Amino acid sequence: MNRPQFIDEITRALSAAFPAGITRDIEKNLRQVLQAQLDRMGLVTREELEIQKALLQRTREKIEALEKTVTKLEQKLSQ
């Protein structure tokens, strides 16, 4: 679930507890407050997390390949 959907679901659930006449204003204000708090907390979406995980995996693979290359070069130098 992405952040806007999450915020919309929470906003709808909370605004359901209020009279129908003020629901629109409450939804707008709740959405703004929730968005500001989530931004302040530094939370990321699942998509952003998956992108970072993939980037980290590629970086690890490159480091492992470089470590193997360095080991081979060190072995050649020691001979």
Side-chain angles (χ1 to χ4, degrees):
M1 175 183 314
N2 63 31
R3 187 178 289 175
Q5 286 175 329
F6 176 72
I7 290 171
D8 288 342
E9 285 182 23
I10 291 175
T11 301
R12 272 187 246 118
L14 290 173
S15 65
F18 297 98
I22 61 171
T23 301
R24 189 179 315 215
D25 290 335
I26 290 172
E27 282 185 16
K28 179 183 173 188
N29 291 336
L30 282 174
R31 186 174 286 113
Q32 290 173 349
V33 168
L34 286 171
Q35 184 66 49
Q37 289 301 316
L38 289 173
D39 288 343
R40 195 176 118 236
M41 292 171 63
L43 299 177
V44 296
T45 64
R46 171 65 62 185
E47 181 181 357
E48 293 168 326
L49 178 63
E50 294 301 325
I51 290 169
Q52 289 301 315
K53 283 173 58 176
L55 180 60
L56 179 59
Q57 180 62 34
R58 285 193 303 268
T59 303
R60 284 183 180 156
E61 291 168 357
K62 287 179 181 180
I63 289 173
E64 288 172 2
L66 288 170
E67 286 174 341
K68 288 178 183 177
T69 302
V70 168
T71 301
K72 288 178 185 177
L73 291 172
E74 286 173 340
Q75 288 173 352
K76 284 183 180 181
L77 284 173
S78 67
Q79 292 176 356

